[in-house]
Amino acid sequence: MVAVDPKALPSAKAVNHQFNVVIDGAETTIHEGVLRCNGGTLTVVSPGVLEVNRLQHVVVRGGGGGDVRFARCGFAAAEACGAVSFHRCDAVRVDGAGEVAVRRCRSADVERAGTVSIRRCKGAARVHGAGELRLGRCREADVGNCSDVALGRCREARADWCGSLGVQRCRSADVSRCSAVRVDRCGDANVSSCGSVMVRRGKVNMAEAHQPLQEWQEQPLCPKAEPADPVPMEIMSNTIFAFSLSTYTVYYYLCTA
């Protein structure tokens, strides 16, 4: 016989998944059933899971860590929710969420999230304060204070105060104060005040380094020629080079035989 303390047992009280919803300025609550308003619907498909469809202006808060799914809305926002997804909305905003997924929306603004995935934004995507971020095929990307970031196929990308950052196939990129940076096949990238930088096939302007270049062999390219005017370094081979930035801009000197 084993004595069990009743106070040590987990509470049988169910989590209150009640969502606070603001629709076109009018606030209401929903925890079950279907709510129809202004041609759109809010449906609780299961405890803690809310689906929002075809509303022009909607904000969802709380839900006891529940999940919210937005589809074909105008302005859609989620605050202090668990997992949030947006599909084919105009402008979306998230402030405090565990997971965020955005697909084919016009613009996105995300703050204080765990895992974030954004694909195919016609406008700007802004993410500040996230753990893992995967962002691709957006017109403009603005990223800050994220731990693990991968950016791909964006016209303009800006990143500041990030941990690990990968930038691939972007037309232009401005990167500053990141710990580890990987640049692959970018048209023009400016990197400053970062730790280590790895470059593959791209034009990269680097400044403000604190350590000498890594894996660099000091061999004259053309011993018998005078160095020409310096031009920004451009890497067109498949070889990956690792750099650590210094207080000056790194240049590649063109030499003639």
Side-chain angles (χ1 to χ4, degrees):
M1 180 69 68
V2 178
V4 178
D5 186 3
K7 297 182 180 180
L9 294 175
S11 176
K13 185 178 179 180
V15 178
N16 183 19
H17 292 293
Q18 178 170 289
F19 297 92
N20 297 320
V21 183
V22 179
I23 305 173
D24 296 333
E27 186 171 357
T28 185
T29 60
I30 182 173
H31 68 279
E32 62 180 359
V34 180
L35 177 63
R36 292 179 173 85
C37 182
N38 298 337
T41 60
L42 294 95
T43 307
V44 179
V45 295
S46 63
V49 180
L50 176 65
E51 289 188 352
V52 184
N53 293 280
R54 298 181 182 276
L55 290 175
Q56 289 301 316
H57 193 286
V58 57
V59 179
V60 179
R61 300 188 181 98
D67 302 341
V68 186
R69 306 168 184 169
F70 297 89
R72 299 183 181 276
C73 296
F75 173 82
E79 300 176 0
C81 297
V84 185
S85 65
F86 302 87
H87 182 63
R88 294 186 181 275
C89 298
D90 287 343
V92 305
R93 179 173 59 84
V94 178
D95 187 359
E99 298 180 8
V100 179
V102 181
R103 297 289 184 274
R104 297 182 179 273
C105 295
R106 194 173 299 274
S107 64
D109 188 353
V110 180
E111 292 186 359
R112 298 187 304 145
T115 302
V116 181
S117 175
I118 301 177
R119 293 289 183 272
R120 297 182 182 274
C121 276
K122 295 181 180 179
R126 176 182 175 272
V127 181
H128 279 227
E132 179 180 304
L133 171 62
R134 300 294 179 263
L135 192 152
R137 296 183 181 274
C138 297
R139 182 181 297 273
E140 182 180 347
D142 184 0
V143 180
N145 295 315
C146 300
S147 59
D148 185 5
V149 182
L151 305 177
R153 297 181 182 273
C154 297
R155 292 190 179 182
E156 298 180 8
R158 293 188 300 273
D160 188 20
W161 283 110
C162 294
S164 175
L165 172 66
V167 183
Q168 184 177 19
R169 295 180 181 272
C170 293
R171 182 174 298 180
S172 65
D174 290 327
V175 180
S176 61
R177 294 176 292 187
C178 297
S179 60
V181 181
R182 304 180 308 276
V183 180
D184 185 7
R185 303 184 184 184
C186 290
D188 189 8
N190 298 316
V191 181
S192 63
S193 300
C194 295
S196 63
V197 180
M198 299 182 69
V199 182
R200 178 183 180 185
R201 288 190 182 181
K203 181 179 179 182
V204 180
N205 301 317
M206 299 182 293
E208 300 185 15
H210 302 287
Q211 296 179 358
L213 300 179
Q214 300 176 3
E215 299 181 4
W216 181 269
Q217 297 180 356
E218 296 183 358
Q219 296 180 356
L221 296 176
C222 303
K224 298 181 180 180
E226 295 293 333
D229 294 334
V231 297
M233 178 181 62
E234 184 170 1
I235 301 173
M236 298 302 296
S237 67
N238 291 326
T239 305
I240 298 178
F241 295 89
F243 299 96
S244 289
L245 310 180
S246 73
T247 54
Y248 52 82
T249 303
V250 178
Y251 288 103
Y252 184 110
Y253 289 89
L254 296 178
C255 299
T256 58

